[in-house]
Amino acid sequence: MGIKRFLYLSFVICHLSFSPAGAQSWTADNGNGTFTNPLFYDEFSDPDILRVGDDYYLAGTTMHAVPGLVILHSKDLVNWENVAYCFDRFDFEDDAFSLKNHKEVYGQGVWAPAIRYANGQFYVFTNINGKGLQCYTSKDIRGPWKHHNMRGNIYDLGVLFDDDGKVYAIHGYGTVKCTELKADMSGPVEGTERVIIPEGNGVGEGHHMYKINGMYYLISTDYRPNGRTLCSRSKSIWGPYETRVITADETYGYHAASLTQVPRGTKYRIGEDGTKFQLGPVDKDATACTNAHQGGIVQYKDGSWWALFMMDFHSIGRTVCLMPMTWQDGWPMVGLEGNLGRAPRTWFKPGFQPSQADATRSQQTEPHAPYLRSDNFDAKQLGRIWQWNHNPDDKQWSLKGGRLRINSQPAEQLMWARNTLTQRVIGPKSVATVKLYVEGMKEGDVCGLGNINVPCSWIGVVKLSTGLRVRCYEQLTNDTTDMGIGATGGPVKVVYLRMVGDYDRDQAHYEWSFNGTNYQQLGREMPLSYQLISFQGSRHALFAFNTKGKQGGYAEFDNFTVEEPCADRSQNIPYGKTLTSPSAADRWFRIINKATGRPAVCDPHGLLYDTRQGDRSDRTLFRIIDRGQGRVSLQCKDGRYVKVYGEGLPGDVRFTQNEKDAEVFLWQDYLNHDFMLLSLKNHRYLGKSPTTGSPYAMDFPGADPARRNGAVLHWEE
């Protein structure tokens, strides 16, 4: 087997969580009554949640991409479907929204929406940079939507339709303001803006306002000095408010990503060469603003409360996580009793009762992903996953004969290329491939598959006066790697292009092929970043442009496919797997603490401890016992079962001979054989301090960003 083929198979063979067997795309639903965050392993920023009856709607940021203002629908808060966009294109007469005349709205456009239902119709509010507050209304969630340009300097807002019929917008950072809105959505009511929370109270932005049992609750997020989510409450919309932090430091073991930076004092345009960009340093121990923040809360139909907050997942961008909430002393706290402020990565689906599994299973939604990512372009319309980079010129693209045709318009670089079709990358790993027909290209044309990010990159076919070349371009280094192409059977007609991404590790590379079977890499393994310039993560892009400053030919694309080698997560809990012995009768494995690198050991003294690295003795062998619905118990090779006594402090994790007394944990999937064990008694995690020398305890609140605090474990084959 060739080394490239071996590496590719190594990429494909990966163990993740325990989603339904055979899953082709990431879904949070594990098929057993539990779910694993994130809800979507692709970007969905600034989520706002709405419940209408037994239906749930989620609106999110789409920035400069169109169609814009995405809305998803769910029946269970876990499985979602894309049902609408509020508009097909920006309707402002402004060249910047269409990438015309070297004007752009990268990092602007639509952001931080608020979705509400009142007066028999849906309302979606959002800011559009330079245009002010916008509102879209419809009696049907699928549209059509009516656009109201409300203007005014109101952004990052929460909206409340109060019991007396008045409508309020809450907005601002630090100094939080409340402004009444006109009922017909024509604009703010003049003279009503008032400060309701003054600067100095540690309150940030991204507001979501609710009225619950006569009390006003404002959910906000703050990013100084690091990310926190807060709740402020008052008996009056106008205050005074008292404030509590309701979640902090929940990163699910993901540290802040490398951010794209521009040297201070440098003037740049988003499409310039990579000498204007740098990738910032990574502090793996820092929470920064990566943690759960900015989002809405909702009451499920069974009375339980849930938060849907976004979290930064490296170069993927900002994703959505579903977190159970617990009311304490009148405050909606994220998390579970005994561990408030943190939230499990894997938990029971809303409405699911493990003790009544057979009864609740029939009520569960069939697990499914929110989007169909692959597209053969045979339909009359593009798939709902696709968005254009700025407003397209509809005369310059078409769907015809089962292919997508994009005409090459003048542009010196990908970020200025009009009619670039995009969709978000999907993590944690994925392979995007497209078939490119090049017969319609003219001299100066550049066509291919790229990553719309800052910095950007692409692989494509370039037509020069001397012939066709396959080229890989990386904006960060401003480097190109070329390869001349020719075919013994005649002129080249088709080239297959591929992007192979490991987005959890912020890296990707490009490959190409003549036949769609034998691929070769072009260019290096590229570092990826998140960035606050366009405020988006990595996005696949199909493009065609001409570098000669004139209208060129065209490119045709077919069979765009996205393979998710880790989507089938049904094998991650190694129930009874034979991992350390060739004998099928011995089904045991080792637990390695990520912080110390040492195996856990069943100490004869009665404690769960660790031993030296490389210890292969029987006392390091464990069996996982399936208790159903993702619940497990641990058995040592000597026959004893792990049990937690007392409060779960160091030394409380000991053993019992009676299987009925064995501790029951909820398995927390941390991907790639990493996991945590959540106590269903005190809602804390099993772990061992890497510094104190104490034995294992059942008292860890969660993972730290670098997974070095001793709570994240690893199972070893």
Side-chain angles (χ1 to χ4, degrees):
M1 181 183 293
I3 184 65
K4 280 191 176 291
R5 183 64 175 161
F6 172 80
L7 290 174
Y8 183 71
L9 287 175
S10 299
F11 174 88
V12 169
I13 299 172
C14 53
H15 299 274
L16 292 181
S17 71
F18 35 102
S19 66
Q24 299 298 306
S25 185
W26 174 278
T27 171
D29 195 330
N30 294 316
N32 61 1
T34 69
F35 68 93
T36 295
N37 283 310
L39 288 181
F40 329 117
Y41 226 113
D42 62 341
E43 185 173 63
F44 195 101
S45 301
D46 306 318
D48 193 33
I49 181 70
L50 170 69
R51 175 187 170 191
V52 180
D54 291 342
D55 295 283
Y56 303 87
Y57 302 101
L58 194 66
T61 288
T62 50
M63 303 307 291
H64 51 272
V66 294
L69 262 184
V70 62
I71 299 175
L72 306 185
H73 168 256
S74 176
K75 284 287 189 179
D76 63 0
L77 291 177
V78 173
N79 294 281
W80 294 84
E81 178 187 4
N82 180 356
V83 295
Y85 292 96
C86 288
F87 58 89
D88 291 330
R89 60 191 297 121
F90 293 106
D91 54 4
F92 304 107
E93 294 183 2
D94 188 329
D95 286 352
F97 290 93
S98 301
L99 268 185
K100 295 169 66 176
N101 298 318
H102 269 96
K103 296 182 179 179
E104 42 82 10
V105 288
Y106 284 113
Q108 302 178 59
V110 167
W111 49 282
I115 183 170
R116 293 293 179 262
Y117 183 81
N119 308 314
Q121 65 179 346
F122 293 92
Y123 298 76
V124 181
F125 300 85
T126 189
N127 173 75
I128 294 182
N129 292 63
K131 306 299 179 182
L133 179 62
Q134 312 296 312
C135 180
Y136 297 83
T137 58
S138 175
K139 293 186 180 298
D140 187 334
I141 195 68
R142 291 168 174 79
W145 293 83
K146 182 180 179 180
H147 181 198
H148 310 262
N149 190 343
M150 302 179 69
R151 300 177 177 83
N153 187 28
I154 296 176
Y155 59 91
D156 226 355
L157 76 161
V159 175
L160 177 73
F161 286 78
D162 212 342
D163 301 334
D164 60 3
K166 292 186 176 181
V167 187
Y168 299 101
I170 294 82
H171 54 104
Y173 178 83
T175 300
V176 182
K177 303 173 184 178
C178 180
T179 303
E180 186 179 346
L181 304 178
K182 295 179 181 178
D184 63 358
M185 301 298 121
S186 60
V189 176
E190 294 182 5
T192 60
E193 182 179 293
R194 288 169 53 182
V195 173
I196 60 174
I197 302 177
E199 175 60 80
N201 286 279
V203 177
E205 61 186 7
H207 306 295
H208 300 256
M209 177 64 84
Y210 307 91
K211 192 173 186 180
I212 305 170
N213 297 329
M215 184 76 74
Y216 294 88
Y217 290 89
L218 179 63
I219 307 297
S220 308
T221 192
D222 191 23
Y223 58 82
R224 291 190 305 187
N226 72 331
R228 305 177 315 287
T229 300
L230 313 100
C231 178
S232 304
R233 70 180 186 184
S234 175
K235 295 180 179 179
S236 168
I237 188 75
W238 304 109
Y241 285 84
E242 53 180 335
T243 299
R244 295 274 182 92
V245 174
I246 62 172
T247 182
D249 293 329
E250 186 56 82
T251 67
Y252 292 141
Y254 284 81
H255 57 78
S258 176
L259 285 177
T260 301
Q261 299 177 345
V262 179
R264 183 173 297 178
T266 299
K267 293 182 179 180
Y268 76 100
R269 295 184 306 171
I270 201 162
E272 289 197 270
D273 66 72
T275 60
K276 304 293 174 66
F277 301 111
Q278 299 173 355
L279 299 190
V282 174
D283 184 351
K284 292 186 177 181
D285 295 302
T287 300
C289 297
T290 299
N291 56 327
H293 64 293
Q294 191 152 342
I297 67 174
V298 68
Q299 186 177 27
Y300 193 64
K301 58 187 177 183
D302 67 353
S304 61
W305 282 84
W306 299 80
L308 288 94
F309 291 161
M310 69 179 182
M311 185 180 295
D312 293 10
F313 268 65
H314 294 195
S315 57
I316 291 169
R318 291 168 165 170
T319 64
V320 179
C321 294
L322 177 65
M323 301 178 169
M325 304 191 80
T326 300
W327 284 84
Q328 183 186 71
D329 300 328
W331 294 95
M333 302 294 296
V334 169
L336 303 165
E337 196 69 44
N339 195 10
L340 298 180
R342 306 295 293 269
R345 184 168 188 176
T346 297
W347 188 241
F348 301 107
K349 293 175 59 177
F352 185 84
Q353 301 295 328
S355 60
Q356 304 172 0
D358 292 337
T360 57
R361 185 175 294 111
S362 62
Q363 305 170 18
Q364 298 297 311
T365 302
E366 188 70 22
H368 64 268
Y371 304 101
L372 179 62
R373 302 178 188 281
S374 299
D375 197 340
N376 60 14
F377 303 116
D378 288 346
K380 294 181 179 180
Q381 296 179 328
L382 292 168
R384 299 190 68 83
I385 185 69
W386 292 110
Q387 292 177 289
W388 296 100
N389 178 23
H390 294 65
N391 285 340
D393 182 343
D394 289 331
K395 296 180 181 180
Q396 299 289 340
W397 74 276
S398 63
L399 290 171
K400 187 176 181 180
R403 299 178 189 175
L404 165 69
R405 176 179 290 195
I406 301 178
N407 296 335
S408 299
Q409 299 179 71
E412 65 269 31
Q413 206 258 13
L414 172 60
M415 301 297 283
W416 292 107
R418 298 197 66 193
N419 285 15
T420 294
L421 190 64
T422 73
Q423 65 169 265
R424 299 171 296 279
V425 303
I426 178 76
K429 299 177 181 179
S430 59
V431 182
T433 306
V434 70
K435 185 177 183 180
L436 172 65
Y437 290 85
V438 299
E439 292 176 287
M441 294 179 64
K442 294 183 178 180
E443 185 178 347
D445 282 355
V446 182
C447 311
L449 170 68
N451 176 19
I452 287 280
N453 203 339
V454 183
C456 69
S457 63
W458 52 263
I459 187 171
V461 175
V462 180
K463 186 159 188 178
L464 307 175
S465 60
T466 54
L468 296 176
R469 302 184 71 82
V470 176
R471 174 173 294 173
C472 179
Y473 172 74
E474 185 180 356
Q475 188 184 25
L476 177 63
T477 57
N478 202 31
D479 284 341
T480 60
T481 304
D482 276 17
M483 178 173 291
I485 55 175
T488 56
V492 175
K493 297 181 180 180
V494 175
V495 177
Y496 295 81
L497 305 174
R498 168 177 284 176
M499 181 175 177
V500 180
D502 185 347
Y503 299 105
D504 265 7
R505 293 182 172 85
D506 295 329
Q507 60 188 31
H509 70 263
Y510 291 110
E511 299 176 353
W512 72 280
S513 169
F514 277 130
N515 56 19
T517 302
N518 302 310
Y519 284 86
Q520 55 182 306
Q521 183 173 331
L522 190 64
R524 66 168 182 159
E525 194 76 31
M526 300 173 294
L528 302 176
S529 70
Y530 183 65
Q531 39 79 33
L532 303 180
I533 299 172
S534 71
F535 281 89
Q536 287 188 327
S538 298
R539 295 175 72 91
H540 297 307
L542 303 181
F543 64 88
F545 62 92
N546 186 280
T547 59
K548 297 290 186 180
K550 61 183 181 180
Q551 187 76 30
Y554 61 86
E556 290 187 327
F557 299 89
D558 196 6
N559 295 333
F560 180 89
T561 62
V562 179
E563 300 172 75
E564 301 177 46
C566 304
D568 182 356
R569 311 188 314 273
S570 58
Q571 301 299 310
N572 196 39
I573 302 183
Y575 296 129
K577 279 201 170 190
T578 304
L579 301 178
T580 60
S581 170
S583 170
D586 294 326
R587 299 186 172 185
W588 308 93
F589 70 101
R590 289 187 171 85
I591 296 175
I592 310 297
N593 192 291
K594 292 282 288 186
T596 65
R598 297 177 177 180
V601 63
C602 303
D603 189 85
H605 187 52
L607 302 176
L608 185 63
Y609 202 57
D610 64 7
T611 183
R612 69 184 185 280
Q613 293 182 4
D615 187 345
R616 312 298 290 179
S617 67
D618 282 357
R619 291 194 298 114
T620 65
L621 299 181
F622 295 83
R623 191 203 312 266
I624 286 183
I625 301 173
D626 183 5
R627 301 298 191 192
Q629 291 85 49
R631 299 171 299 172
V632 301
S633 294
L634 292 183
Q635 183 185 23
C636 306
K637 183 66 183 284
D638 61 13
R640 295 179 295 167
Y641 299 89
V642 173
K643 178 176 173 56
V644 179
Y645 299 80
E647 298 297 319
L649 300 175
D652 278 348
V653 181
R654 300 196 290 275
F655 305 100
T656 178
Q657 297 288 347
N658 190 344
E659 182 177 353
K660 293 182 179 180
D661 294 332
E663 201 73 25
V664 178
F665 308 98
L666 186 64
W667 184 280
Q668 302 291 296
D669 177 30
Y670 272 67
L671 314 186
N672 301 309
H673 291 199
D674 288 357
F675 67 100
M676 293 172 64
L677 294 175
L678 174 67
S679 167
L680 292 176
K681 292 181 179 178
N682 69 357
H683 300 133
R684 288 181 173 256
Y685 302 91
L686 182 71
K688 185 188 184 305
S689 168
T691 58
T692 65
S694 298
Y696 273 81
M698 196 72 228
D699 195 37
F700 284 71
D704 64 325
R707 307 186 184 185
R708 288 201 268 241
N709 68 340
V712 180
L713 310 174
H714 183 83
W715 62 266
E716 179 186 85
E717 295 188 62

